[in-house]
Amino acid sequence: MSEQPPPPPPESPQEPAVEQQQPAEDPLRQSRTGQFWVGLTGFGVVLVLLIIFIAQNTQSVRVSFLSWSGQAPLAVVLLAAVAGAILACAIAGTLRILQLRRRVRRAAKDAKNAG
């Protein structure tokens, strides 16, 4: 007959927890200044591209919108259209955020009244 090894002792809840080592703080971690620098650099690149776009699209075009009509450089017309689209998206997004906030407030109020 072969001998079986004894079962392992049950772990007790009072055993000291293994101390987890916190990683050393990275001296090159992200900072607000670094984030600002990245944003400013990106903005500068976009600005240079925008200046090139405007310089290459100076021909005048006729624009008609509803009862308005006139002539303007192509770059200005295109940039105005982009600005209008961005504004429309911002308005729609703002309205959706307000709608969701109102819905959350109502749900919290209903939960408070029910509980």
Side-chain angles (χ1 to χ4, degrees), residues 17-25:
V18 177
E19 192 172 315
Q20 295 180 358
Q21 293 181 357
Q22 297 292 332
E25 189 169 324

Side-chain angles (χ1 to χ4, degrees), residues 20-68:
Q20 295 180 358
Q21 293 181 357
Q22 297 292 332
E25 189 169 324
D26 183 10
L28 300 176
R29 68 177 172 75
Q30 290 183 347
S31 65
R32 287 184 182 169
T33 306
Q35 291 172 352
F36 178 75
W37 182 83
V38 169
L40 188 61
T41 303
F43 178 73
V45 169
V46 169
L47 190 59
V48 167
L49 293 174
L50 188 63
I51 290 170
I52 293 170
F53 174 78
I54 291 171
Q56 290 181 342
N57 293 287
T58 57
Q59 61 270 24
S60 190
V61 294
R62 181 160 179 77
V63 179
S64 297
F65 180 72
L66 299 175
S67 64
W68 300 319

